[in-house]
Each structure stands twice: as C-alpha cells, then as structure tokens.
Amino acid sequence: MRRAPASPDQGRRRIAAALLPVLLAACGPVEPAMKARPAMWLAEDVDTRIYILGSMHALPRGTDWDDGAVGAAIEAADTLVMELSPAELDAAADAFRELAPRSTPLAIEARLTGKALTGYRALEARGRRLNGDGLDDWAVMVLIGQRVAQNAALSPDEGVETQLTERFEAAGKPITGLERARGQLMLFETLDPATQRALLVRAAEEADTATRDVLALTAAWSRGDVAALEKVVNEDIDAAPAARKAIITDRNRRWTAWAARRMERPGTVLMAVGAGHLVGAEGVPALLEARGVRVRRVQ
C-alpha cells in the first residue's frame, strides 16, 4: 500500500535528523557497549573491488562494529576513501569558524518562537550557551546537532571514520577523501534563507525528541536495517527539495561517478560514507547498479 505523503514539517524533521550524524563533534561516556553489523555492499568486476560501508560519524563508546565481513574488507582493502580525508577532518573546525558567522547578528528570539524557542533554550540549559545570535541559521542547526549528540552520549572517537583512520594509518595504507571540509559546509552556507530557517526551526522544535531520534537512527545502522534508514533519510523527497538536493542527492551522484571511474583501475578499496547515502533508489549502490556495475550486499 502506498503511504500517504508526509507533511513538509515531517520531511524537514527527517532531513535534519539525517544530518545530525554528519556534523557531530561531541563526546561522552555511554554504556552498555553495542554490537553492530552495519550494512556494506561490494561493487566489483574482474580486477576491481570497492567495498561500500555505511558509516556513523559518532557512536556510543565501546561499539563493536568492525568484525565479520567488514573486518575482512578492512584487511583486504589497499586504500580507504571517506567523505573527508584526515587532513580535511582536521580543517573542519577552522572552516566552520570562517563560514558560520553572520554579517550582522540577529537575536535567536527574532528567528525562533513558541516551541522552537523553548527547545533551543532547553538545550542551552543543559550545557553552555549556544550563542547563536552571531551565527547563520545553518550554523545554529549544527550547534543544536552537537548538543543533541552530547545528550545522546555519542563520541566521534568511537565513530567509524576515526576507527578506520587508526587502522589504516597503523597498516601504512593510504587514506583519501571525496570532498573538502569547506566544501561540505558550503552546502549549508549556500542553501536559500527560507530553507535554512525552516531546518533551524524544525531542529529546535524537535530538540526534546532529537536524542531519541538519533539513538533510533544509530540502532537502525547497527542492525544494518536499510529500510529503517531509508525511511529516516530518503522519505518525502519533496519536503525540503533544496536541502535534499544539495546535501544528499547531488553528493550521491558525485560519489557514484567517482566510484564508477575507480572501477576502471584494478585494486581493492574500502569506501566509507554516511549510511544515509547508501539506501534507496538514489543511494550510491543503486546508482552504481544503474550504471551497469555489479553490486551486491555482503553484510
């Protein structure tokens, strides 16, 4: 049965929830440890293999995710490819400080009212002030995501990229990135003002349930539940089309084109990108298949 379309507000909430793992920079203890089996695909031809692993950029401490088929892929891969290289990850904070400030400060009370303002103030009450008056709407949304991560006790030190970087550096294997840190943030910076404001309002309005949403997303990732991930990330594509196109769809297409070109050279690659980019008809595995590449799920 075809589901009834969700409201625009629901769609914006899903997109905001999907973005939270992308921009987390929080840390904190959590227990108990989680056993995870994230989804992974293999694109291959006669002399090239690209393992495509869905990542979470911050996880509960002690999450055990790198055994089984994923562990074998880590050992087999000659190169690790992530959204950002280690050097670009290190550059992200400086890029944020450059791009986030508004040319003219605007009080949060002029941007948020009612439930949204209440949610924003409640987040501030649980930690340091967010000091959003001097920041663009998208940057305030990032800070909300960071605070939600803190409340969910997720740690980037336990995230897939950090752990993979340590493994590949220890093995002396090269690590590259698909994007630049500044370029990633420019995806938000260049969203039209109405879309930025809509995403900020929804993130603030749903602050009281965002921790639960992020933990549910993490649980779906840990089960390799691509249907649940698709529901969160890819549903209601028309709800916030500008954000959807810039942050998810266009990037998926660029990464697919990169993978298709990489298939022309021999070798074994582990490609680790946010799990939300790998699910549904517009996810990277499906787009590669549409190009005639043989792709199969291996975990």
Side-chain angles (χ1 to χ4, degrees), residues 271-285:
M271 178 181 179
V273 298
H277 292 279
L278 305 184
V279 298
E282 292 189 333
V284 173

Side-chain angles (χ1 to χ4, degrees), residues 195-228:
T195 298
Q196 287 194 39
R197 183 62 53 83
L199 293 175
L200 170 60
V201 168
R202 181 51 50 183
E205 284 182 341
E206 301 301 332
D208 59 339
T209 60
T211 296
R212 182 186 65 200
D213 293 343
V214 169
L215 291 175
L217 188 71
T218 302
W221 170 84
S222 74
R223 301 190 304 270
D225 188 343
V226 295

Side-chain angles (χ1 to χ4, degrees), residues 17-298:
L19 294 178
L20 291 178
V22 179
L23 295 162
L24 299 181
C27 61
V30 69
E31 56 184 333
M34 179 174 65
K35 179 70 176 178
R37 290 185 60 81
M40 184 174 70
W41 291 259
L42 173 62
E44 61 181 337
D45 59 20
V46 293
D47 60 1
T48 308
R49 294 181 296 169
I50 302 179
Y51 290 96
I52 308 171
L53 173 64
S55 73
M56 289 290 285
H57 307 305
L59 287 168
R61 290 198 185 279
T63 302
D64 181 7
W65 57 268
D66 57 352
D67 58 2
V70 171
I74 293 171
E75 293 301 318
D78 308 313
T79 303
L80 171 63
V81 177
M82 304 186 294
E83 294 179 30
L84 299 177
S85 69
E88 287 299 318
L89 282 168
D90 290 341
D94 286 340
F96 182 85
R97 283 190 288 269
E98 174 195 351
L99 296 173
R102 289 179 58 90
S103 56
T104 303
L106 180 63
I108 288 297
E109 290 82 0
R111 306 187 227 182
L112 303 176
T113 61
K115 184 180 179 182
L117 183 58
T118 300
Y120 179 88
R121 293 304 185 201
L123 282 177
E124 285 197 316
R126 298 190 62 179
R128 292 183 301 176
R129 287 181 58 83
L130 297 176
N131 295 320
D133 292 1
L135 302 177
D136 288 334
D137 286 357
W138 69 265
V140 180
M141 187 183 71
V142 169
L143 297 184
I144 290 174
Q146 291 175 338
R147 186 60 54 83
V148 168
Q150 290 173 337
N151 294 343
L154 301 179
S155 170
D157 291 339
E158 301 295 319
V160 170
E161 285 83 357
T162 299
Q163 297 297 312
L164 285 176
T165 296
E166 291 178 359
R167 293 277 295 272
F168 274 73
E169 286 181 343
K173 297 180 181 180
I175 305 172
T176 64
L178 297 164
E179 297 177 333
R180 304 288 297 272
R182 192 178 190 281
Q184 276 198 354
L185 294 179
M186 283 297 294
L187 298 174
F188 296 88
E189 172 78 0
T190 55
L191 287 174
D192 64 276
T195 298
Q196 287 194 39
R197 183 62 53 83
L199 293 175
L200 170 60
V201 168
R202 181 51 50 183
E205 284 182 341
E206 301 301 332
D208 59 339
T209 60
T211 296
R212 182 186 65 200
D213 293 343
V214 169
L215 291 175
L217 188 71
T218 302
W221 170 84
S222 74
R223 301 190 304 270
D225 188 343
V226 295
L229 288 169
E230 183 179 1
K231 182 177 180 180
V232 173
V233 178
N234 288 342
E235 209 171 47
D236 305 315
I237 188 171
D238 294 327
R244 166 71 177 174
K245 180 177 185 298
I247 297 164
I248 300 177
T249 307
D250 287 352
R251 296 168 79 202
N252 289 0
R253 291 172 179 164
R254 288 195 294 269
W255 298 349
T256 298
W258 176 89
R261 292 192 301 271
R262 182 61 186 80
M263 293 295 299
E264 298 172 0
R265 295 185 286 117
T268 300
V269 175
L270 176 58
M271 178 181 179
V273 298
H277 292 279
L278 305 184
V279 298
E282 292 189 333
V284 173
L287 291 176
L288 274 174
E289 278 193 306
R291 285 173 171 254
V293 177
R294 183 186 175 215
V295 181
R296 58 191 173 94
R297 185 170 171 180
V298 293

